Amino acid sequence: METTELESPPSLTALYGRAVVVPVLPGGGDELPDRRLVLRDAEVREEHVAEYARVCGFGLANEVPGTYPHVLAFPLHMSLMTDRAFPFSVLGLVHVVNRIEVLRPIAVGARLDVCVWTEDLRPHRRGRQFDVVAEAETGGSVAWRGRSTYLKQGGGNGDSAPRRDDREAAGELAACAEWRIPGDVGRRYAAVSGDRNPIHMHSLPARLFGFPGAIAHGMWTKARCLAAFDGRVRSPYTVEVEFRAPLLIPGRAHLRSGGADRDWAFRLESPDGERVHLAGSIA
């Protein structure tokens, strides 16, 4: 795999501009590029972690929240997926699954070597999917790993994978919180994460993409759920979610959870229980 070392984080503003332009330019292939990006000595700044914690609902601590390194890796995600060699337009991709492994604590103030690559292009019932893998090293070993699975819709066979009935699963999880989610949470998360996809920030562009209004970032939703377990989760652990349905903002949502010891299951759903926004687990 070809490795490219970056001197600084890519500009997300420039990358979003490139995301619009690249699909109309010639180039690109049928396979994922055999390339990885490395950003060395990325700083985990105290004020940035604190703002991220406030937006996502975490308490302040000497260690970063488990979802925080994703925001350091995200510019590298975008850089790979907006390259002309990439086979899909990033504007048409759907983030369907996210898995994070916290292998050991990352201290606020640490310096991280962040590495990102893509792999495992494979069929999906609604098209094709692939993974963007990110690792964060400190002290010479991997402390954190994230795997974001994206779906390119179109050309699938339409067969539904077996899934346990949502209502049956909901009966095993107790309602533990009701959240009123403000309409500015998309803009606040965008400011701290750099993920300024307009469908999360304003209703008008969201409607242009087929949504009734602005929707919450998937990774904010995951982080907010993980924050609900603050004080009960210790590394090493894995937190994985499947994104099911968009969460309109402003809005309301119910969190259900259940489990014992270090293993938990959770779901975020609409107040009437008819829509599941995400389903996840901590192990």
Side-chain angles (χ1 to χ4, degrees), residues 124-249:
H124 183 276
R125 61 189 174 86
R126 289 189 288 149
R128 290 197 288 174
Q129 62 184 344
F130 63 93
D131 297 333
V132 181
V133 184
E135 290 183 344
E137 294 187 7
T138 180
S141 63
V142 177
W144 180 94
R145 182 179 295 114
R147 181 176 294 269
S148 298
T149 301
Y150 289 92
L151 168 66
K152 170 60 177 176
Q153 299 186 83
N157 59 23
D159 294 337
S160 296
R163 179 189 284 173
R164 218 173 148 195
D165 184 78
D166 282 339
R167 293 182 182 277
E168 177 187 347
E172 301 174 4
L173 303 179
C176 60
E178 178 179 341
W179 296 336
R180 294 183 180 274
I181 301 165
D184 67 347
V185 75
R187 294 186 291 275
R188 292 174 61 212
Y189 184 77
V192 75
S193 69
D195 185 354
R196 297 184 181 276
N197 188 327
I199 65 174
H200 303 302
M201 300 172 66
H202 302 284
S203 292
L204 180 58
R207 293 191 186 104
L208 294 177
F209 281 90
F211 300 102
I215 61 174
H217 292 76
M219 288 305 296
W220 175 84
T221 311
K222 177 176 182 174
R224 184 66 187 87
C225 289
L226 181 60
F229 295 88
D230 235 4
R232 290 180 285 175
V233 177
R234 294 286 183 269
S235 61
Y237 67 90
T238 298
V239 53
E240 182 170 9
V241 300
E242 177 187 359
F243 300 111
R244 299 274 189 89
L247 173 58
L248 290 173
I249 50 175

Side-chain angles (χ1 to χ4, degrees), residues 31-227:
E31 301 297 328
L32 299 174
D34 194 19
R35 179 173 177 242
R36 64 178 178 177
L37 300 181
V38 177
L39 177 64
R40 300 201 182 277
D41 211 28
E43 183 182 4
V44 179
R45 295 183 291 109
E46 180 179 1
E47 61 274 17
H48 190 234
V49 176
E51 182 58 25
Y52 178 88
R54 280 192 290 270
V55 171
C56 298
F58 292 97
L60 297 180
N62 294 325
E63 301 166 3
V64 304
T67 47
Y68 174 80
H70 177 84
V71 305
L72 301 181
F74 183 70
L76 280 67
H77 283 220
M78 284 291 292
S79 186
L80 284 174
M81 293 193 294
T82 56
D83 192 275
R84 287 179 62 183
F86 199 72
F88 311 121
S89 167
V90 69
L91 297 180
L93 298 177
V94 182
H95 193 180
V96 291
V97 175
N98 182 268
R99 175 185 175 90
I100 285 174
E101 299 171 67
V102 180
L103 305 177
R104 55 191 177 87
I106 296 175
V108 175
R111 298 273 183 166
L112 302 176
D113 292 341
V114 181
C115 180
V116 175
W117 67 93
T118 58
E119 66 180 28
D120 197 14
L121 180 60
R122 58 200 186 273
H124 183 276
R125 61 189 174 86
R126 289 189 288 149
R128 290 197 288 174
Q129 62 184 344
F130 63 93
D131 297 333
V132 181
V133 184
E135 290 183 344
E137 294 187 7
T138 180
S141 63
V142 177
W144 180 94
R145 182 179 295 114
R147 181 176 294 269
S148 298
T149 301
Y150 289 92
L151 168 66
K152 170 60 177 176
Q153 299 186 83
N157 59 23
D159 294 337
S160 296
R163 179 189 284 173
R164 218 173 148 195
D165 184 78
D166 282 339
R167 293 182 182 277
E168 177 187 347
E172 301 174 4
L173 303 179
C176 60
E178 178 179 341
W179 296 336
R180 294 183 180 274
I181 301 165
D184 67 347
V185 75
R187 294 186 291 275
R188 292 174 61 212
Y189 184 77
V192 75
S193 69
D195 185 354
R196 297 184 181 276
N197 188 327
I199 65 174
H200 303 302
M201 300 172 66
H202 302 284
S203 292
L204 180 58
R207 293 191 186 104
L208 294 177
F209 281 90
F211 300 102
I215 61 174
H217 292 76
M219 288 305 296
W220 175 84
T221 311
K222 177 176 182 174
R224 184 66 187 87
C225 289
L226 181 60

